[in-house]
Amino acid sequence: MTNIAMPPVDQAVIARRDEIVAGLVSILGAEHVISAEDERRAYETDALTAYRAVPLAVALPGSTEEVSRVLAFLNGTGAKVIARGAGTSLSGGALPSEDAVVLGLARLNRILDIDYGNRIARVQTGVTNVNITNAVSGEGFFYAPDPSSQLACTIGGNVAMNSGGAHCLKYGVTTNNILGVRMVLIDGKVVEIGGSEVDAPGYDLLGLVIGSEGQLGVVTEATVRILRAADGARPMLMGFDSAEAAGGCVAAIIASGIIPVAIEYMDRPAIKVCEAFAHAGYPLDVEALLIIEVEGSEAEIADLIAWITAIAEAFNPTTTRISQSATESAAIWKGRKSAFGAMGRIADYVCMDGVIPTSRLPEVLVKITEICESYGLAVANIFHAGDGNLHPLVLYDMNDPDQLSKAEYAGADILKACVEAGGCLTGEHGVGIEKRDLMTVQYSKADLDQQMRIKSIFDPGWKLNPAKVFPLDGRPTVAA
Amino acid sequence: MRLFAPATEAEAAGIVRAHPRIGLAIAGGGTRMVNHRNPALSARSLCGVRRYRPQDMTMTAAAGTPLSAIEEVLASHGQRLGFEPTSAIAGRSTIGAVAAMNLSGPRRPFAGSARDALLGLRMVTGLGERVSTGGRVIKNAAGLDLTRAIAGSFGSLAFITEVTFRTMPVPAAGINVVLPGMRASMLPAVAARLMLKGLPLTGAAHLDGVGLGGVAGAGPVALLRFEGSASAVAAAKRHLDSLDLAVAVHDGGDPWGIVARATVLAPGAGQALWRVTIPETAGGALAEQLAREGADVLTDRRGGLLRLRHGVDFARRLAALVAPMPGASASLEAGPPRAAILPDHNQPGAAMLARLKQALDPNAVFVAANRPGAAAA
Ligand SMILES: Cc1cc2nc3c(=O)[nH]c(=O)nc-3n(C[C@H](O)[C@H](O)[C@H](O)COP(=O)(O)OP(=O)(O)OC[C@H]3O[C@@H](n4cnc5c(N)ncnc54)[C@H](O)[C@@H]3O)c2cc1C
């Protein structure tokens, strides 16, 4: 049915299931180990729901120390280990296998320390993204990276995927907003990486850990940068007759020297679905819609909106609407942030995440439509236009066995087109299993060998989330 | 001593494979030569901007391209490197050296570091392999990204051949202001308050007893910079004027080079210049204490970076002062070797750092640059 191969399941580990469960119970207590099949099934997939496998067991540690003891124990059993935050990965990053123990980190949900003077907070990694902002918003601060899944996804998942969001155009993605982590290695050793010191002399391992998709260790704590919220922010909507006009407008705004906090793009199919879901007041008679948000003082917001409106003139926007109230702004963002969920109500889809240089936007959008048409599939585009991070949603019908396969081929062609345009396979959703076999499109054998050498040094037995990120062919042989 | 200056990455890989030990001539001019017994490798013949479309907000350049050439091209399109390496470096330096040293200027706490702006690079590893890491676009989440680890590694992990940086627009307006008489310990709080007001602060420094290129007197003075839209900068000026402080606009050229290079603190005979990185809120107070103990001190980055000049023998006292402070470390910037403050090799994580060396340069082909405080692996 599908095109993505999984490594063979280790039957010897499956045979040891009872023993492994007993070991976990002795460390965590029976209430924090899930072994009944119907309960394990809740962990069989993530947000890439076309792939499923019921894990051997699920362990729910409540502290770094418990994570350490669980890993030290599992390291001797041959079981694979899949760290899991909220399971919202769109690339199959948290997908288990039958011979793997899922390490669910949701119990690590405490905010440990907030230091407003130095603008940092230390949190456990099971804390949800939005709860960091909730904890500091009373003092006028926020945590900047804002994935649309922020109500559910954990900071641990964000660190693992180097997640982004609509407002990352101005504030950077996860890697630009994390100062340090505490991580447990596969043998149970606890290490501190980075910390509160900025630009400490020495190597920066932190940048390597962020975006490593659970390949190097299990992250249990993070020190994050919190920022002072701007005085005010205001989104505006601009509708255009064509993708070319909207894409050209994005490029012109950026070229003019303004970096808005966000520039989001939706095409006609996406606008229709999001409007029906959120009643945000999006114009329905346009081919492309931009949501542009600016922030600052009242005077500055007015300046920036005037400037952007003037630049946009050249691209003949058919509608321009500036939000007039906080309620209206919230509705505009609700429509955008619930876009994936809203699409999910009308069709099954695979969500691509390629990045291209913003100057290539119009031509790549045309190419994406052509690719999907050639497979007889429809596509909707909703994405972060300011940084060229595309999210084509390739629509298919799960009940038609042929269509998932076609959607995957179309997705692969789209990502190849992104790399050919000078971009990359993924901007924020990570490789997971979904893009694993496409890594050779972006990286040479030497590039991947170097990455795998790093993986092997941290995880010599390839036990941590091993089915992901690196193509199955060309991996180093691992001593049993 | 031999100096190799390969003209292509392939040639560089051949040289690395042929030499069991090689040092990196980090600044393309060979000014930071490391070890005279080993041959050295320079990127100075790997030159030129390879890809730059201003609206993509990225630039890819060969590692040996002079920083000045890069800044010139960017400026002609109204852009710049946000982390301000230019003011931090005197004379000829290459963009590859900026990456290898993770070199940022006074704008660092407001616009991020060199490491933050570095999107991807090409390199030759200690195994002589030609490897690309990261991406050439603003976002990339594919695979294990070594880019940030190579930044700041001082040539001890790999020979950088090409870098891709994020570029930033030059803001429409900017202003430097001087607040005479302010104490160093107030700098972090004052900077925080200005930012709370939403004012576009992009530089916050403090000098005591050293003057500022003749503009301010020798007493304590804070130097602030605001950059942004015309209305935002005007609002900053209005706000400062409304405070009961003697505010003077500094229009005598760009004072930030003086701050970044600490030129006013050039050590004389028997003296040394050290740098201390420290959490911002603790930096101002430490600066005052150091001044009380006879040091000439320059505080930058809202308190996060101190430079101090004192007699060479002050090294031990400085080490003792900094050791118990969380998140702080000191290193020698200029002066005789005996003024060096050795990095703490027992620091947690030292073993982790060694893993990186093992993964990139397992045979220790690259000899680490001898900058005091640089990673010794
Ligand atoms: C509707 C929807 C909208 C989304 N929008 C965005 C968006 O705007 N931007 C964006 O970037 N992403 C988005 N995502 C993707 C997803 O939310 C992110 O990748 C998120 O960071 C995953 O977090 P999680 O806690 O759910 O992690 P999981 O899905 O549980 O895990 C993801 C990966 O992280 C690893 N992992 C998790 N925790 C740890 C840990 N503590 N230590 C080590 N490894 C760990 C897992 O092994 C796995 O490989 C969206 C997803 C959905 C369903």
Side-chain angles (χ1 to χ4, degrees):
Chain A
M1 173 190 96
T2 75
N3 311 314
I4 300 173
M6 295 302 281
V9 171
D10 185 343
Q11 293 300 336
V13 170
I14 304 228
R16 294 178 69 184
R17 206 177 91 77
D18 291 347
E19 179 199 330
I20 290 170
V21 168
L24 293 172
V25 167
S26 75
I27 297 169
L28 300 173
E31 69 274 36
H32 295 132
V33 178
I34 296 176
S35 58
E37 192 189 329
D38 56 335
E39 290 173 44
R40 279 184 279 141
R41 193 169 288 285
Y43 294 82
E44 68 179 351
T45 188
D46 54 19
L48 187 67
T49 51
Y51 298 86
R52 287 160 203 267
V54 179
L56 194 69
V58 180
L60 303 170
S63 65
T64 300
E65 207 237 316
E66 285 187 352
V67 170
S68 160
R69 288 171 59 203
V70 166
L71 286 180
F73 163 67
L74 289 175
N75 196 27
T77 64
K80 287 152 189 144
V81 180
I82 320 287
R84 182 182 178 102
T88 67
S89 170
L90 288 166
S91 59
L95 174 75
S97 55
E98 275 109 28
D99 54 357
V101 172
V102 167
L103 214 54
L105 298 163
R107 287 178 65 217
L108 295 174
N109 61 358
R110 282 187 305 134
I111 306 239
L112 301 170
D113 186 36
I114 301 172
D115 174 354
Y116 292 106
N118 290 305
R119 296 164 296 153
I120 56 184
R122 205 159 52 84
V123 304
Q124 291 185 318
T125 47
V127 170
T128 59
N129 173 294
V130 80
N131 272 345
I132 302 181
T133 293
N134 288 345
V136 299
S137 59
E139 297 285 323
F141 283 77
F142 71 111
Y143 173 68
D146 60 336
S148 304
S149 52
Q150 69 191 134
L151 292 176
C153 68
T154 65
I155 196 73
N158 294 175
V159 166
M161 290 310 196
N162 192 15
S163 302
H167 292 78
C168 291
L169 179 58
K170 179 162 176 192
Y171 296 110
V173 291
T174 302
T175 195
N176 307 109
N177 290 279
I178 301 282
L179 292 167
V181 295
R182 171 175 285 182
M183 183 166 87
V184 187
L185 305 179
I186 184 68
D187 60 3
K189 189 190 278 162
V190 179
V191 295
E192 304 287 339
I193 295 173
S196 53
E197 188 181 352
V198 175
D199 299 336
Y203 301 152
D204 179 46
L205 267 176
L206 188 60
L208 183 62
V209 169
I210 296 170
S212 63
E213 303 199 22
Q215 296 288 313
L216 306 182
V218 177
V219 179
T220 57
E221 282 178 26
T223 302
V224 309
R225 164 86 62 218
I226 50 174
L227 297 175
R228 166 75 192 169
D231 277 359
R234 192 161 311 146
M236 61 192 292
L237 298 174
M238 276 188 194
F240 297 87
D241 273 343
S242 69
E244 284 82 354
C249 184
V250 172
I253 290 169
I254 304 258
S256 81
I258 303 179
I259 301 187
V261 221
I263 307 183
E264 297 288 299
Y265 181 111
M266 286 189 203
D267 66 7
R268 186 188 273 273
I271 299 167
K272 190 167 151 231
V273 171
C274 292
E275 177 59 21
F277 180 81
H279 309 293
Y282 299 154
L284 291 168
D285 54 347
V286 300
E287 286 307 318
L289 176 68
L290 296 179
I291 304 173
I292 303 174
E293 181 158 275
V294 295
E295 62 177 25
S297 64
E298 268 307 312
E300 203 173 0
I301 287 176
D303 271 9
L304 288 169
I305 287 182
W307 189 338
I308 289 170
T309 313
I311 292 169
E313 284 290 286
F315 302 90
N316 300 317
T318 51
T319 15
T320 299
R321 209 184 86 210
I322 297 153
S323 169
Q324 301 298 327
S325 69
T327 322
E328 191 176 349
S329 301
I332 288 173
W333 278 114
K334 177 167 177 249
R336 167 61 185 91
K337 292 214 167 180
S338 49
F340 291 179
M343 285 311 290
R345 301 201 316 174
I346 61 145
D348 301 304
Y349 64 80
V350 284
C351 172
M352 297 294 117
D353 180 39
V355 184
I356 54 162
T358 44
S359 59
R360 309 282 301 264
L361 259 179
E363 66 187 280
V364 176
L365 287 173
V366 170
K367 176 103 198 175
I368 288 173
T369 308
E370 284 169 9
I371 289 171
C372 292
E373 275 170 3
S374 76
Y375 287 96
L377 297 172
V379 62
N381 282 291
I382 307 169
F383 61 90
H384 315 306
D387 38 33
N389 189 178
L390 307 179
H391 290 323
L393 305 181
V394 182
L395 309 182
Y396 71 98
D397 176 0
M398 184 109 61
N399 298 322
D400 177 345
D402 219 25
Q403 284 210 6
L404 171 60
S405 179
K406 278 189 181 160
E408 283 176 345
Y409 282 121
D413 287 355
I414 289 171
L415 295 184
K416 283 178 195 156
C418 290
V419 174
E420 268 163 31
C424 64
L425 295 172
T426 167
E428 54 184 27
H429 297 167
V431 177
I433 50 162
E434 183 216 5
K435 291 169 279 265
R436 185 191 69 197
D437 299 329
L438 289 171
M439 284 287 274
T440 49
V441 177
Q442 184 175 339
Y443 294 110
S444 73
K445 180 171 184 316
D447 301 345
L448 289 172
D449 283 349
Q450 180 59 59
Q451 294 183 24
M452 288 191 284
R453 261 198 298 279
I454 303 246
K455 160 76 174 167
S456 294
I457 278 173
F458 280 81
D459 177 20
W462 281 63
K463 290 289 183 281
L464 289 166
N465 214 5
K468 323 290 166 66
V469 183
F470 301 109
L472 297 182
D473 289 345
R475 291 183 171 199
T477 6
V478 173
Chain B
M1 195 223 48
R2 291 175 69 189
L3 177 75
F4 293 102
T8 64
E9 188 181 81
E11 200 186 316
I15 294 166
V16 170
R17 278 197 295 268
H19 291 84
R21 290 279 178 280
I22 198 158
L24 271 274
I26 278 200
T31 52
R32 290 190 186 232
M33 201 66 69
V34 285
N35 181 328
H36 291 269
R37 276 165 305 158
N38 296 314
L41 193 56
S42 165
R44 70 183 177 203
S45 301
L46 296 166
C47 208
V49 171
R50 293 194 174 150
R51 210 182 80 185
Y52 176 50
R53 259 186 253 112
Q55 68 265 46
D56 292 341
M57 307 286 290
T58 62
M59 175 188 267
T60 301
T65 314
L67 181 59
S68 53
I70 287 187
E71 294 271 326
E72 214 169 282
V73 175
L74 289 174
S76 69
H77 291 91
Q79 293 189 350
R80 66 185 185 189
L81 296 171
F83 56 94
E84 210 179 355
T86 348
S87 66
I89 229 164
R92 189 173 131 73
S93 185
T94 63
I95 191 69
V98 167
M101 295 190 284
N102 185 29
L103 194 82
S104 316
R107 212 179 281 119
R108 196 264 170 260
F110 312 96
S113 63
R115 194 176 264 151
D116 280 320
L118 195 58
L119 299 168
L121 45 81
R122 293 194 58 86
M123 58 186 162
V124 175
T125 67
L127 296 168
E129 286 185 354
R130 298 167 58 192
V131 168
S132 159
T133 181
R136 308 287 172 269
V137 275
I138 291 177
K139 283 166 97 175
N140 174 40
L144 294 180
D145 190 352
L146 278 164
T147 311
R148 291 169 71 92
I150 302 295
S153 68
F154 283 84
S156 61
L157 297 176
F159 176 62
I160 301 171
T161 58
E162 181 189 283
V163 296
T164 300
F165 278 102
R166 183 168 187 172
T167 63
M168 292 304 236
V170 178
I175 187 176
N176 294 311
V177 298
V178 173
L179 308 182
M182 203 179 89
R183 292 171 47 187
S185 59
M186 290 179 58
L187 184 69
V190 167
R193 229 171 19 242
L194 293 168
M195 289 180 81
L196 277 176
K197 288 248 164 278
L199 301 174
L201 191 67
T202 66
H206 184 275
L207 300 89
D208 196 354
V210 291
L212 180 63
V215 174
V221 11
L223 173 68
L224 304 176
R225 174 174 58 194
F226 299 90
E227 294 172 295
S229 66
S231 62
V233 170
K237 177 74 171 54
R238 269 199 312 279
H239 176 74
L240 287 173
D241 286 342
S242 75
L243 300 176
D244 201 11
L245 292 165
V247 176
V249 173
H250 179 295
D251 49 12
D254 180 12
W256 294 99
I258 298 173
V259 171
R261 294 195 289 275
T263 40
V264 284
L265 292 181
Q271 289 184 320
L273 172 69
W274 293 273
R275 73 192 271 133
V276 178
T277 54
I278 185 168
E280 293 163 357
T281 50
L286 180 63
E288 278 186 17
Q289 166 150 15
L290 291 166
R292 277 198 301 276
E293 298 193 18
D296 298 318
V297 189
L298 194 168
T299 308
D300 190 13
R301 306 187 185 178
R302 333 182 2 163
L305 174 66
L306 312 183
R307 321 286 272 285
L308 63 137
R309 177 176 62 190
H310 209 315
V312 167
D313 296 335
F314 192 65
R316 284 181 56 191
R317 170 70 183 145
L318 179 62
L321 271 175
V322 168
M325 304 182 89
S329 69
S331 59
L332 177 67
E333 193 163 305
R338 69 191 173 90
I341 294 176
L342 294 177
D344 180 5
H345 286 295
N346 296 322
Q347 61 178 332
M352 295 297 295
L353 303 182
R355 290 184 190 222
L356 211 50
K357 180 79 173 170
Q358 200 190 333
L360 278 148
D361 183 21
N363 306 321
V365 168
F366 294 121
V367 182
N370 68 344
R371 175 184 174 275

